[in-house]
Amino acid sequence: MPPLTLYFLQSSRSIRIAYLLEELSLPYTLEFHNRANNAAPPALKQTCGTGLGRAPVLKDGDLTIQESGAITDYLCETYDTSHRLLPTDPTQRVQVRQWIHAAEGTFMVHCLPITYSRWYSPTPSKENGTLQELEEGLGINVRKDLDWLEAELAKGNGRFLVGDGVTAADTMMAFSVQFILVKGLGSGGGGRGPGCRRGCGIWKARRDISELSGGQGMF
């Protein structure tokens, strides 16, 4: 097997791929980069070999892949020989792929505008209540997303999104949900019910999150 290298940015979606690699029990090199002014440092772009220069990036021999969803698909299709993380059962396979896409296309799409509004809103809007009003409006879709997640967790054992064990649905979704809850992004006080937090607590890879994040935690 060619050597695997994960280009990992502190407090980023890179954790999804580290989780997945651990679940697959694949040996890999972790190339860790600290954030610089809340962004990826120039060194990441210089070393990862992509034009965008954002993490995560996975190198498998001569192959370079970016975007966490694409990397997840590749690793599952290539190395998940037991089909544990991307099941062969048609219904479960569709469900896992649904969550792989929802992690970015629904959950992150709805919560990131709140993050950016906090970063870039002028000071007067933070003082006169305009930013708070904006967050309340933007948070509507976030709360709907968490309600959906809660309902789906309740259909099973409350621990995993598809079936009775970890799948690629969990390795992708864990970051999105924890990002929302930890940052308080429109979640109405930190989660719509116990399932969201309980699920996130169980979505752990074999190594502790602080180790996977260079000893600095996820956020």
Side-chain angles (χ1 to χ4, degrees), residues 131-146:
L131 177 59
Q132 182 179 354
E133 183 178 349
L134 176 62
E135 284 198 26
E136 289 175 358
L138 292 172
I140 293 173
N141 279 330
V142 176
R143 292 189 289 276
K144 288 180 179 179
D145 297 342
L146 293 176

Side-chain angles (χ1 to χ4, degrees), residues 24-91:
L24 288 166
S25 298
L26 292 173
Y28 63 98
T29 299
L30 186 71
E31 175 124 356
F32 185 88
H33 292 267
N34 285 305
R35 287 183 176 270
N37 296 320
N38 221 14
L44 175 60
K45 185 172 184 178
Q46 293 165 5
T47 58
C48 73
T50 68
L52 189 59
R54 294 187 177 181
V57 172
L58 182 77
K59 286 189 177 180
D60 187 358
D62 295 329
L63 181 64
T64 300
I65 315 165
Q66 56 189 333
E67 294 293 334
S68 57
I71 297 171
T72 293
D73 274 338
Y74 171 76
L75 287 173
C76 288
E77 296 287 359
T78 306
Y79 295 110
D80 183 21
T81 55
S82 66
H83 306 290
R84 178 173 63 89
L85 296 163
L86 187 60
T88 55
D89 174 79
T91 299

